[in-house]
Amino acid sequence: RAWLALPVAVGLCLAAASVPALRASRARPAAALHRGVSPPGRLGGRRRRRVLGLALANLRRAPGRTALGAVALAVGVAGLTLVAAVTWAFHGTVTGTLLGDAVSLRVRGVDLLAVVATVVLGAFAVADVLYLNVRDRAAELAALRATGWSDAALGRLIGYEGLGIGLLGAAAGAGIGLAAAAWFVGELSPSLVRAAVLTAAAGLAIAAAAAIVPVVLQRRVPMSILLAEE
């Protein structure tokens, strides 16, 4: 049965690659050679006077990519919320009903390991999304540095984007995990709420930590070369 993971993994990779491959096959050569420019008013038509506002606007520029990072983190946080609820609120074992039958749920070491691995994968997804954003906007970051932005300000910009993705993923994951735990147990106790709040805070902290690598990479952007190419 363990060998079944191999064809399933290959199938998932092929399914994930089908959409980008289809989009690449339909791309026009002229459009692929030149970077796209956002039309006026697409980001709200307002000047962004604060770093936070610019970070939120950047997240809306690629909604699919932002949603991907948030969903990946939400899956891990939802599982962590369930495990934390059973471990802290019910001391590792909880009895509830599922489809009308009594079911006893017990947290084992392998369950905790699987949840931790899922959360780590979610953190990698957030870091990958931020890295792609930095790479796609390398010329913009170089222009901001040339106009006087400091590395600290650019770091805050990328960090705020990571926090935005983390907030979406952590809130959604904790909410789903809390709802699942409450539905299984049959009540919404304060201990379940505390477990959800703690896991949401952990998810947000993980997303902030995932932004460290993209923040470091933006400092290595070759400003003069990028500006010359533009």
Side-chain angles (χ1 to χ4, degrees):
R1 294 182 180 179
W3 285 102
L4 293 177
L6 295 179
V8 171
V10 173
L12 289 175
C13 290
L14 292 176
S18 61
V19 175
L22 183 62
R23 294 182 60 182
S25 64
R26 295 180 178 179
R28 293 179 298 175
L33 293 175
H34 298 279
R35 297 175 181 175
V37 179
S38 300
R42 181 181 176 183
L43 300 180
R46 300 192 305 271
R47 292 183 179 181
R48 306 294 172 178
R49 299 184 181 275
R50 296 182 180 274
V51 178
L52 179 59
L54 182 59
L56 295 178
N58 288 334
L59 291 178
R60 290 196 296 269
R61 293 171 64 176
R65 188 180 295 173
T66 301
L68 179 63
V71 169
L73 184 63
V75 172
V77 173
L80 184 61
T81 301
L82 284 173
V83 171
V86 175
T87 302
W88 296 335
F90 301 99
H91 306 288
T93 303
V94 61
T95 302
T97 57
L98 183 64
L99 300 178
D101 297 328
V103 177
S104 179
L105 182 63
R106 181 169 58 92
V107 175
R108 301 170 298 174
V110 65
D111 300 325
L112 181 60
L113 181 62
V115 168
V116 171
T118 306
V119 173
V120 171
L121 290 176
F124 274 107
V126 174
D128 185 53
V129 167
L130 295 176
Y131 169 75
L132 292 176
N133 289 341
V134 170
R135 190 185 64 178
D136 292 346
R137 302 200 315 266
E140 297 179 14
L141 297 177
L144 291 175
R145 290 174 60 186
T147 55
W149 277 50
S150 63
D151 289 338
L154 293 176
R156 289 201 309 272
L157 175 64
I158 301 172
Y160 286 154
E161 294 179 18
L163 287 176
I165 297 175
L167 184 60
L168 292 175
I176 294 173
L178 179 62
W183 172 74
F184 181 78
V185 176
E187 62 176 356
L188 184 62
S189 62
S191 57
L192 292 180
V193 176
R194 285 194 298 269
V197 171
L198 290 177
T199 53
L204 188 60
I206 291 172
I212 294 177
V213 175
V215 168
V216 174
L217 291 178
Q218 65 86 20
R219 298 182 179 180
R220 302 180 180 179
V221 173
M223 181 175 63
S224 58
I225 298 177
L226 290 173
L227 294 180
E229 292 177 354
E230 288 296 310

